[in-house]
Amino acid sequence: MPRATGCSFSWAAFTGLRFGEPASLRRRAVDTTNATLMVQRSQAEMQTGALFDKAPKSDAGARPVAFPTELLPDVKNHLDSFAGAGRDGHVFLGHRGGRLRRSNFRDDWIKARAKARITADVHFHDLRHTGNTLAASGASLRELMTRMGHSTPRAALIYRHVVSGRDREIADRLGSMIRKTRGRQTTSGPCGTAAFIRKGQFERIKPLNWPLAVCPRQDSNLRHPL
């Protein structure tokens, strides 16, 4: 993936940021000691092509977002090699050192997507869905709302529902394996698991059809400008 913007892909997938948020991010907002970034503004583009930073739609949009410490080496390298100078320098820049725009960033995304062999109908914004779905598996409703930057629970509830549905799929697939081992169509009885293990039926579990938000690589109907 393009080195100057590659870090934005990782951040989007593991923090759920919208495109405008990393595009407006400044150096001073990145805390490499605590692996946290502070979202305060979002970049917007007028029809004339002029770029400006705007305040979030609600107070919830201004928020700290922690990212995995495993990303720190890439983040530090990016800040040293590609970010703008000084505390007010933009974290992400265009190829010629100017502001990052959707148009030139889209070219980077298409190249990275092709290299990763991801289908063409997957857009950068789908990474936000991925990050939010991953976060939903271990976060409370309020924690997920805060991380997403939402003031109402509606969107957060959608992601939590996706995760709970996936858990049911996993349980159902395990149940089908037990039935296959037992050789009958019922899962009743106290020794199903023990019998399953004793027979050594450790077959490889084929990937399920994960929710689109989690694995857009397989198949995605999500649509977004990027």
Side-chain angles (χ1 to χ4, degrees), residues 18-26 41-46 50-55 90 92 98-102 104:
R18 307 170 179 88
F19 171 79
E21 293 170 341
S24 67
L25 201 64
R26 307 299 179 97
R41 311 285 288 179
S42 181
Q43 178 176 287
E45 185 171 351
M46 301 180 66
L51 299 175
F52 66 96
D53 290 344
K54 63 177 183 178
H90 283 86
F92 296 103
R99 296 285 297 271
L100 188 65
R101 294 178 177 274
R102 287 183 181 272
N104 54 37

Side-chain angles (χ1 to χ4, degrees), residues 4 9 29 38 91 105 110 129 150 153 177 182 221:
F9 304 153
M38 176 60 73
V91 174
F105 180 82
I110 292 174
H129 299 306
H150 281 225
M177 293 173 65
R182 285 178 166 181
N221 294 318

